[in-house]
Amino acid sequence: MDKNKINKILFINFITMTTFNMAHPVTPTLINTLGLPTYMFGVLYSTMAIAQFVMAPIWGSISDAKGRKKVLIIGVIGYGISQLGFGLAQTSTLILLFRILGGALSVGFMTGSIAYVSDVSTKEERIKYMSYHTATMSIASSCGALLGGAIGGFGYKYAFITQFVLTILVGVCIYLLLDETIENKSKEVKIYLEHLKPGKKSIDLKSIIGIMMIIMTLATIATTSYNSTINFYVESVLNMPTIVNGIVMAIAGVIALMMNLFVNPYLGKKFDENKTIVAVLGIAGISIVISSLSSNMIVALIFLAMFIASSALITPLQQSIVSKLAKNNYGEVMGIQGSFKAIGMVTGSLVSGFIFDYGNKLPFLLGGVCCLFAFILLYKVFIGNNKQELKKVS
């Protein structure tokens, strides 16, 4: 295990995700300024996710063959260019086209960075460094949201322009700081396209790894329902300025950071990760449902914080479990997982966008239902089956 390389990729992930998250607080302003319909916040989110679904395994295959570093650079700079177009576009058609481009390119960095962490860490230490990877994303989302929200106060376009400039600088940092982890590069790239073939299964959904992919989808629907809605809810329902959106996202990021820096590594050492993810899913589902249904503001905020805290643990736990099931094609497996995550993003954002007008808390309830369904599924797999085996032995 090379701690120097781990520190470098964590730093790169931090500055990249800070830059990537700058536009979130100002996107509702863009929608309202251009007079786009309410459901567009879900359409914009899902359009990007569809592109990520298509491209995630492809970028994973390319990084396995040609190396992580090139994919990371292309993903960062490409996303910056797409965001510049997104922020300056004036028609819904152009906006959607740039969102597709942004999704297709940004997922290259996301897939490559996770694979990079796997490359430079041991299986025993992987859950810890996956937690640190998620933690850098959490604090970066806070920094990016605050930065974007503050700059957006002068006009939402300034946030997008700044974002573009910073992605160029991040690309330079990747080129100068990161070492390549793929030593035996292949001349030929076997592009993974099974996820695009109707009727074809990229993995056996009845296997443990297949079930974990389903869990990724359900968990992503839950988090996306919250993340894609909360900014629009704060601006359009609570009538708060852009900077408040940034503060809300920043607080959520700090909570997630604390969970992944301290709680997740502790749980990884003291408890079985299979049982831990079951408990975390149950807590996340119950807390967001109570928060959505409560009429008491204090109670609602307490349980909302519980949801944010518990949901922050799901991804690193799930990724650690999957990483131990994968063999030599970890980049490809992470790409497939990225596609399942994208399905969750598409579903969560689209459904949330269209049900928002029927009830502005319905998207949050949707997230709770998905977490509870995932809890029941994994309970039967990791705990229910063990009980059955104990009964047979007795």
Side-chain angles (χ1 to χ4, degrees):
M1 184 174 65
D2 192 328
K3 289 190 176 182
N4 185 44
K5 289 181 179 179
I6 289 176
N7 291 333
K8 286 181 179 180
I9 188 60
L10 291 178
F11 170 72
I12 291 297
N13 193 58
F14 170 75
I15 60 176
T16 301
M17 299 314 296
T18 296
T19 305
F20 277 16
N21 281 278
M22 285 180 58
H24 293 315
V26 300
T27 300
T29 305
L30 180 150
I31 294 173
N32 292 327
T33 300
L34 297 180
L36 301 177
T38 300
Y39 61 79
M40 278 299 290
F41 80 81
V43 173
L44 291 177
Y45 205 103
S46 63
T47 302
M48 185 175 181
I50 291 172
Q52 291 180 339
F53 165 75
V54 173
M55 291 301 300
I58 296 176
W59 283 121
S61 299
I62 294 173
S63 72
D64 282 339
K66 297 297 181 180
R68 316 294 187 203
K69 190 171 179 178
K70 291 180 181 178
V71 170
L72 294 174
I73 294 173
I74 293 172
V76 170
I77 295 179
Y79 182 69
I81 295 172
S82 68
Q83 284 297 96
L84 180 64
F86 172 46
L88 299 181
Q90 296 294 306
T91 64
S92 58
T93 301
L94 277 177
I95 288 174
L96 290 174
L97 286 175
F98 280 115
R99 291 305 280 172
I100 293 173
L101 182 63
L105 292 166
S106 64
V107 77
F109 176 85
M110 296 174 188
T111 301
S113 65
I114 294 173
Y116 196 102
V117 173
S118 177
D119 292 340
V120 297
S121 62
T122 62
K123 287 187 176 182
E124 293 74 19
E125 295 285 323
R126 193 162 295 158
I127 186 172
K128 179 173 73 173
Y129 290 110
M130 286 296 182
S131 296
Y132 289 169
H133 183 270
T134 303
T136 58
M137 294 177 67
S138 300
I139 191 62
S141 67
S142 299
C143 295
L146 284 174
L147 183 60
I151 296 174
F154 299 98
Y156 73 87
K157 292 182 180 180
Y158 290 107
F160 288 100
I161 294 171
T162 304
Q163 188 178 38
F164 164 70
V165 174
L166 291 179
T167 56
I168 302 298
L169 297 177
V170 172
V172 174
C173 287
I174 295 174
Y175 178 79
L176 295 176
L177 295 179
L178 283 191
D179 299 315
E180 183 53 70
T181 59
I182 303 297
E183 296 180 359
N184 300 319
K185 297 180 182 178
S186 174
K187 293 182 179 179
E188 296 183 2
V189 180
K190 295 180 180 180
I191 299 297
Y192 188 91
L193 297 174
E194 293 299 311
H195 64 306
L196 301 179
K197 297 179 181 179
K200 292 280 186 179
K201 291 183 179 179
S202 55
I203 56 174
D204 180 9
L205 295 180
K206 293 182 180 180
S207 65
I208 296 296
I209 194 169
I211 292 172
M212 292 309 299
M213 295 298 176
I214 296 174
I215 296 303
M216 171 57 77
T217 300
L218 291 170
T220 304
I221 291 175
T223 54
T224 300
S225 298
Y226 170 80
N227 291 330
S228 66
T229 305
I230 189 65
N231 290 337
F232 197 82
Y233 182 89
V234 169
E235 178 164 320
S236 301
V237 176
L238 302 182
N239 297 315
M240 296 293 180
T242 301
I243 187 61
V244 174
N245 247 331
I247 294 172
V248 169
M249 292 184 66
I251 293 174
V254 170
I255 293 174
L257 173 68
M258 294 298 103
M259 297 301 290
N260 280 291
L261 276 181
F262 304 110
V263 178
N264 220 358
Y266 174 80
L267 294 176
K269 291 181 179 179
K270 297 293 183 180
F271 302 97
D272 176 66
E273 61 187 6
N274 295 340
K275 293 181 180 179
T276 300
I277 194 173
V278 173
V280 166
L281 283 166
I283 295 171
I286 293 172
S287 59
I288 190 64
V289 169
I290 294 176
S291 177
S292 301
L293 297 178
S294 177
S295 58
N296 186 296
M297 181 63 70
I298 296 177
V299 172
L301 289 175
I302 290 173
F303 279 95
L304 181 61
M306 287 178 61
F307 167 74
I308 294 171
S310 55
S311 63
L313 302 177
I314 297 173
T315 297
L317 284 168
Q318 190 271 350
Q319 287 176 344
S320 176
I321 294 171
V322 170
S323 71
K324 293 174 182 177
L325 296 171
K327 297 181 180 179
N328 296 325
N329 61 335
Y330 188 74
E332 182 178 303
V333 171
M334 284 296 99
I336 296 172
Q337 178 174 276
S339 290
F340 277 84
K341 183 176 182 179
I343 292 173
M345 292 174 66
V346 172
T347 304
S349 56
L350 271 182
V351 174
S352 296
F354 284 104
I355 66 176
F356 186 86
D357 285 334
Y358 296 96
N360 51 43
K361 291 186 177 180
L362 287 178
F364 306 122
L365 288 172
L366 170 65
V369 171
C370 287
C371 282
L372 291 175
F373 186 77
F375 162 77
I376 294 171
L377 181 59
L378 278 192
Y379 183 88
K380 291 181 178 179
V381 173
F382 289 144
I383 300 178
N385 288 343
N386 291 339
K387 288 183 176 180
Q388 290 178 5
E389 290 176 4
L390 288 174
K391 288 181 180 179
K392 289 181 181 179
V393 173
S394 62

